[in-house]
């Protein structure tokens, strides 16, 4: 009877650890997706400004030459 209780507690403990690992992986994947989404939106929103800056830099380079 005690051995069965210990075996059950051991199994439940590993099940809890397994769920914690699965939940942590899901949270990590979700946060990674959010970060990549924010990065994609940021690049899309700031692209015109970066393109103008690169054009201005190239123009100044041609004038200096």
């Amino acid at each position: 009877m005690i051995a069965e209780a210990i075996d059950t507690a051991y199994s439940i403990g590993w099940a809890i650890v397994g769920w914690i690992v699965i939940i942590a992986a899901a949270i990590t994947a979700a946060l990674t997706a959010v970060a990549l989404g924010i990065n994609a939106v940021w690049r899309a929103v700031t692209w015109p400004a970066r393109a103008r800056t690169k054009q201005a830099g190239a123009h100044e380079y041609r004038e200096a030459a």
Side-chain angles (χ1 to χ4, degrees):
M1 176 138 170
I2 293 176
E4 291 173 358
I6 292 171
D7 187 42
T8 301
Y10 183 78
S11 297
I12 291 172
W14 276 112
I16 291 170
V17 169
W19 278 110
I20 289 171
V21 168
I22 290 169
I23 291 169
I27 290 171
T28 301
L31 290 176
T32 301
V34 168
L36 290 174
I38 290 171
N39 186 22
V41 169
W42 182 261
R43 291 178 64 82
V45 169
T46 61
W47 179 79
R50 286 186 287 124
R52 283 194 300 273
T53 303
K54 287 181 181 177
Q55 284 178 337
H59 184 69
E60 292 169 3
Y61 179 76
R62 274 187 246 117
E63 284 181 352

